[in-house]
Amino acid sequence: MNIANWLHDTQRRAPQRPALFDGTRQVADYATFAAHVRQRAACLVDQHGVAAGDAVAVLMKNSCDYLELLYAIWWIGAVVVPINAKLHPAEAAWIAENAEAKLIFTDGGRVLSARDLPLRCKELDGHALPPTRGWPTLEHPVPRQASDLAWLFYTSGTTGRSKGVMLSHGNLVAMSLCYPIDVDPVSADDAAVYAAPMSHGAGLYNFIHVRCGARHVVPASHGFDAAELFGLATELGNVSLFAAPTMVKRMVEQARRQGYRGEGIKTIVYGGGPMYLADLREAVETFGPRLVQIYGQGESPMTISVLPRAVIADGQRVGWASLAASVGHAQSCVEIRILDTHHQPVPAGERGEIAVRGATVMHGYWRNPEATRQTLVDGWLLTGDIGFLDPAGYLTLTDRSKDVIITGGSNVYPREVEEVLAQHPEVFEVCVVGEPDAQWGESVVAFVVTRSAQPLDTAELSAWFLTRMASFKKPKKYLFRDELPKNSYGKILKTDLRQWLKEASIAAVR
Ligand code: AMP
């Protein structure tokens, strides 16, 4: 089934139901939403020659147009390649090229330079609604099989190379159906607010809200602003949103400043990175029983485990602290196992690599059979996360074996930052690690050995870095060393560097 059928069904049943909101202003009901989607779909086919199975990239900030574009692309059976709007244009261009995208939609249509734009790929303004006349419109979405590709999502790999995660219409349907069963029931009175990037998990929560005829709200700031969010919730009511733990922390701070207690918010789904217990306690004290945690990854989007609202809110329950520190139990359509290094299951309580099997698990990495073979083993997705299951099936994450740094909810892979810094003529050796950061969750720290053994001007180094990579990946700190600690194979010991940072921060507060 084509997942765009859900929009088709809802607009037939409830054409006048409010659909798209720019801030508190309604910009489309479901009939208008679907009409715009058909217009855009017709233009894709007739003016740009996009066919079923073709890839179309979207490099845009959150907007109502974003949702229309997604559905237009699916309506004709094509594949969406969502690209994080915070990426450097050169990184975005690399993704568009690797995905063999025919078109790339951007804010304004002039984001990529002619030099960056891949051959045979055209850049278009995603906000330009094509005229109705001229092109025949498709009344129904083009039929698709459950296994047909719908969402080609690029997640950075530790090898430094971005990989395209292939998610099918069937994956997206399964993910969406888990939401009302495991995370939160949805009704037509709900409002999904997109405070986190639509190119990532937050955007994927659109489907179940389309299916149920709910409202879709893009904050006027097109991003995350806690005070704005509270205003929207108070005015619109029944608001649900996805937020990274660092966003929840900022919401709590703002709520305390203005005496807000969660009025108008139905549910805050958090995940994507660890939430510290002290922060969770404060969030529950501030917002009451409004929080649900999910654990997922691009390869099984938003859908590995869930820590339900009732567990999080019940602070009096015996053993609450260990349950609240877990990521909950398996969602309905997946099984979870913990594997040893030979990929054999280990008993409850023992640590190992978290593996997942089920209807949300990706079909593999785009044009990368080697990475697919290493990650999908005997039908199980190896997540690269380390954790353990308790006897009741609650999963606790203990480490991220991939060393990913999660800063402000965005993933930064040390290797790709290292690759860039290593290109600097004065840099001899470099190693990047994450450091706990009260505001951002983690921040990027680069240990650098220079050729001259003299420190570099960090402002200059930062400026140089920003000509090559997105600013959220920029190291917040550069620490110059004479050498880096290594094991007997010559591998740099990141654990030693992290330990050094920890000791330095303890010494600093003494
Ligand atoms: P991504 O593929 O960008 O969504 O990143 C997925 C990774 O984020 C996972 O493999 C975990 O390491 C981490 N992650 C996701 N959800 C959680 C969570 N609830 N708690 C802790 N870490 C998480």
Side-chain angles (χ1 to χ4, degrees):
M1 186 198 83
N2 186 334
I3 195 141
N5 281 9
W6 284 357
L7 175 60
H8 183 59
D9 288 352
T10 299
Q11 57 92 34
R12 271 194 307 195
R13 275 198 319 269
Q16 261 114 53
R17 209 189 288 289
L20 306 180
F21 287 72
D22 192 345
T24 52
R25 187 174 60 91
Q26 181 181 328
V27 294
D29 57 18
Y30 270 91
T32 313
F33 180 10
H36 287 177
V37 165
R38 286 195 193 92
Q39 263 169 257
R40 291 178 186 273
C43 176
L44 284 173
V45 173
D46 290 284
Q47 189 158 350
H48 302 295
V50 179
D54 284 345
V56 178
V58 182
L59 170 70
M60 288 167 61
K61 290 196 189 125
N62 288 0
S63 65
C64 294
D65 293 330
Y66 198 120
L67 271 181
E68 291 186 0
L69 275 172
L70 296 185
Y71 278 89
I73 296 166
W74 290 316
W75 203 270
I76 60 168
V79 178
V80 173
V81 184
I83 306 181
N84 181 350
K86 287 194 264 174
L87 287 187
H88 192 279
E91 295 172 275
W94 185 89
I95 291 175
E97 181 160 22
N98 186 265
E100 297 158 28
K102 271 198 157 175
L103 299 175
I104 181 164
F105 284 100
T106 61
D107 294 306
R110 289 166 181 271
V111 172
L112 304 189
S113 67
R115 194 195 57 202
D116 284 337
L117 198 64
L119 276 177
R120 289 182 288 280
C121 179
K122 229 188 305 173
E123 179 177 352
L124 297 172
D125 179 7
H127 300 290
L129 183 67
T132 36
R133 59 181 189 283
W135 305 300
T137 58
L138 276 173
E139 190 51 35
H140 295 269
V142 165
R144 294 274 85 188
Q145 300 291 326
S147 58
D148 283 334
L149 192 56
W151 185 253
L152 184 55
F153 168 79
Y154 277 75
T155 180
S156 299
T158 40
T159 54
R161 266 263 170 128
S162 207
K163 289 181 293 218
V165 173
M166 296 193 287
L167 295 169
S168 64
H169 288 267
N171 288 142
L172 299 179
V173 168
M175 175 202 72
S176 302
L177 295 182
C178 281
Y179 186 93
I181 297 173
D182 298 313
V183 180
D184 194 28
V186 180
S187 88
D189 297 324
D190 288 354
V193 172
Y194 301 94
M198 288 166 122
S199 55
H200 219 82
L204 294 176
Y205 279 167
N206 91 79
F207 300 114
I208 193 65
H209 290 90
V210 164
R211 175 71 195 158
C212 296
R215 295 164 292 168
H216 303 262
V217 182
V218 178
S221 65
H222 304 286
F224 172 69
D225 176 312
E228 178 187 30
L229 194 60
F230 302 158
L232 281 176
T234 311
E235 194 150 333
L236 296 170
N238 268 5
V239 154
S240 301
L241 69 145
F242 175 76
T246 49
M247 290 164 69
V248 177
K249 198 170 157 67
R250 279 155 69 193
M251 285 167 67
V252 168
E253 281 168 14
Q254 179 60 29
R256 294 198 162 176
R257 267 198 295 275
Q258 67 180 70
Y260 173 78
R261 307 281 303 174
E263 298 83 357
I265 294 185
K266 181 185 170 210
T267 307
I268 303 167
V269 182
Y270 68 91
M275 170 82 115
Y276 304 109
L277 259 188
D279 293 339
L280 183 58
R281 269 185 220 280
E282 286 194 346
V284 174
E285 267 167 38
T286 309
F287 297 127
R290 290 183 167 87
L291 293 127
V292 181
Q293 183 188 194
I294 61 102
Y295 158 55
Q297 61 173 205
E299 290 83 347
S300 182
M302 310 302 263
T303 321
I304 297 177
S305 66
V306 59
L307 187 64
R309 177 194 307 263
V311 176
I312 295 176
D314 187 6
Q316 304 309 314
R317 177 182 180 146
V318 179
W320 180 83
S322 57
L323 282 185
S326 79
V327 291
H329 56 72
Q331 293 201 36
S332 307
C333 70
V334 298
E335 301 166 76
I336 298 175
R337 270 185 177 178
I338 306 295
L339 303 179
D340 65 18
T341 49
H342 305 291
H343 299 153
Q344 295 306 307
V346 302
E350 261 180 47
R351 281 173 196 209
E353 181 164 10
I354 299 166
V356 184
R357 183 166 72 172
T360 49
V361 169
M362 67 161 179
H363 291 252
Y365 293 114
W366 174 251
R367 304 245 191 275
N368 198 339
E370 179 55 25
T372 303
R373 201 180 50 73
Q374 286 171 9
T375 310
L376 293 178
V377 176
D378 300 331
W380 290 84
L381 165 71
L382 305 184
T383 61
D385 290 321
I386 306 297
F388 62 89
L389 282 166
D390 77 3
Y394 282 84
L395 175 69
T396 299
L397 252 68
T398 52
D399 203 358
R400 284 165 289 159
S401 64
K402 293 174 182 169
D403 285 330
V404 60
I405 301 168
I406 301 179
T407 178
S410 295
N411 285 8
V412 177
Y413 289 82
R415 176 68 186 264
E416 55 177 350
V417 178
E418 290 162 1
E419 299 254 20
V420 165
L421 288 172
Q423 289 171 28
H424 191 282
E426 287 306 308
V427 172
F428 175 63
E429 213 169 35
V430 61
C431 181
V432 168
V433 295
E435 178 177 34
D437 181 298
Q439 191 183 358
W440 299 105
E442 282 182 291
S443 64
V444 179
V445 177
F447 285 86
V448 177
V449 180
T450 61
R451 292 186 191 280
S452 62
Q454 297 299 315
L456 301 177
D457 180 322
T458 50
E460 258 175 47
L461 190 53
S462 268
W464 178 89
F465 182 88
L466 287 178
T467 60
R468 287 160 177 80
M469 213 165 223
S471 68
F472 71 93
K473 299 181 184 177
K474 180 181 75 163
K476 292 261 184 309
K477 221 189 256 177
Y478 289 96
L479 297 168
F480 295 94
R481 292 283 173 275
D482 291 336
E483 58 181 281
L484 298 178
K486 303 198 181 79
N487 68 13
S488 52
Y489 302 107
K491 218 169 120 74
I492 297 172
L493 292 165
K494 289 200 173 198
T495 38
D496 286 17
L497 294 175
R498 286 200 199 94
Q499 185 60 27
W500 185 91
L501 282 173
K502 203 166 149 191
E503 283 163 11
S505 78
I506 293 169
V509 293
R510 268 202 201 118

